[in-house]
Amino acid sequence: MDALEKKLKENVYPGRGIVLGKSEDGKSAVALYFIMGRSENSRNRVFIEENGGLRTQAFDPSKLKDPSLIIYSPVRVLPEVGKTTVIVTNGDQTDTIYEGLKNGSSFPRSLESRTFEPDAPNYTPRISGIQKFKGGTYSFSLSILKSDPATLPAAGTAGKQPGNQPGTLRYTFDYASPAAGTGRYIHTYMGDGNPLPSFEGEPELVSLKGDLDSLASSVWESLNAENKISLYVRFTDIESGKVSTKVINKN
């Protein structure tokens, strides 16, 4: 099991990443989300905390070209009687999950209406996670919706014909008893490329060390300096429900 920081240093462009797990002392649930970007439009963003969650915002509104895939709420909180669910995603499927859970659906069923992002030829995966708190217990799940490589359209034809779209692969991973000091890390890309290669396999098991501030600092320093944009780290005390957060923006 590698430290999260080691995984980040080894990949110059993981894209967007989610880490869910438990703090080193075992007292807090950890949620971490970061974004990276290669284009001017992608890099023109900051994280803003709002209503107990998180949203993205254009750093310079005059330079915003296409908000469709870069402006969204990565984190929303669904408080219910006796339990709380924290939703973390890399797109506007945060709202889809929120409404689904609110109406009694499950995490994977809430995502049945969604697929990967419509950004051919990359077909960026939609990665999502939820943290569930109830009566002093904590568990989490992660999901990825990605294009099926067996059905990818021929080079140069992606997205040009209505029926010429790849199929969707759907995976959900449940973690009922996370161990102290460990997390599961899922990200959109295996590395840089053209097109960008989608994440493969099960979410990676990583070690999480330090408190909120030290973890946030070490993760931020481990992200590629040119491509990193913003980082959000959230610690939730499993017994009391007290929340502490840290946001770091490059801009």
Side-chain angles (χ1 to χ4, degrees):
M1 176 175 58
D2 292 329
L4 173 60
E5 292 84 350
K6 182 176 185 294
K7 290 286 188 182
L8 296 173
K9 290 176 182 177
E10 291 173 345
N11 188 345
V12 66
Y13 197 65
R16 284 163 277 173
I18 297 172
V19 180
L20 300 182
K22 187 179 285 187
S23 62
E24 191 173 17
D25 63 10
K27 296 180 179 179
S28 298
V30 177
L32 183 152
Y33 179 62
F34 66 81
I35 57 175
M36 307 182 84
R38 300 187 302 178
S39 68
E40 181 183 25
N41 195 47
S42 291
R43 292 177 175 179
N44 182 34
R45 286 184 288 174
V46 292
F47 282 167
I48 303 293
E49 294 190 82
E50 182 178 75
N51 299 324
L54 188 73
R55 64 179 173 87
T56 62
Q57 177 177 289
F59 175 66
D60 184 347
S62 68
K63 295 181 179 180
L64 181 63
K65 298 176 181 178
D66 179 7
S68 62
L69 294 177
I70 67 169
I71 302 300
Y72 56 93
S73 296
V75 179
R76 293 188 68 181
V77 180
L78 179 62
E80 298 179 277
V81 177
K83 62 180 180 179
T84 299
T85 302
V86 178
I87 305 164
V88 186
T89 90
N90 73 325
D92 63 9
Q93 73 268 25
T94 309
D95 300 331
T96 305
I97 297 167
Y98 182 93
E99 292 301 325
L101 296 179
K102 186 177 179 181
N103 292 318
S105 187
S106 66
F107 177 46
R109 289 194 65 184
S110 298
L111 286 165
E112 287 181 353
S113 64
R114 307 304 303 267
T115 64
F116 46 83
E117 294 183 355
D119 61 341
N122 294 317
Y123 301 112
T124 298
R126 291 191 186 272
I127 53 173
S128 309
I130 60 169
Q131 294 178 305
K132 296 181 284 187
F133 301 91
K134 184 177 181 180
T137 65
Y138 162 58
S139 62
F140 67 87
S141 300
L142 287 163
S143 162
I144 183 168
L145 310 179
K146 56 183 289 187
S147 60
D148 182 352
T151 62
L152 288 175
T157 65
K160 294 185 177 181
Q161 299 176 19
N164 194 25
Q165 297 294 332
T168 304
L169 299 177
R170 303 173 181 274
Y171 300 98
T172 302
F173 306 89
D174 299 321
Y175 303 94
S177 303
T182 68
R184 294 285 177 164
Y185 169 41
I186 193 168
H187 43 100
T188 51
Y189 310 124
M190 296 302 291
D192 208 348
N194 190 22
L196 289 158
S198 293
F199 179 85
E200 297 178 359
E202 182 181 345
E204 300 168 18
L205 177 64
V206 294
S207 63
L208 303 175
K209 296 183 178 180
D211 59 12
L212 172 69
D213 290 328
S214 62
L215 179 62
S217 178
S218 63
V219 167
W220 182 251
E221 292 303 316
S222 300
L223 291 166
N224 179 268
E226 181 179 358
N227 295 321
K228 65 185 178 183
I229 299 173
S230 297
L231 169 69
Y232 171 83
V233 184
R234 179 188 187 99
F235 273 45
T236 304
D237 187 281
I238 297 169
E239 288 294 331
S240 69
K242 181 181 178 181
V243 176
S244 301
T245 63
K246 183 85 171 183
V247 170
I248 303 176
N249 289 309
K250 187 174 183 179
N251 288 321

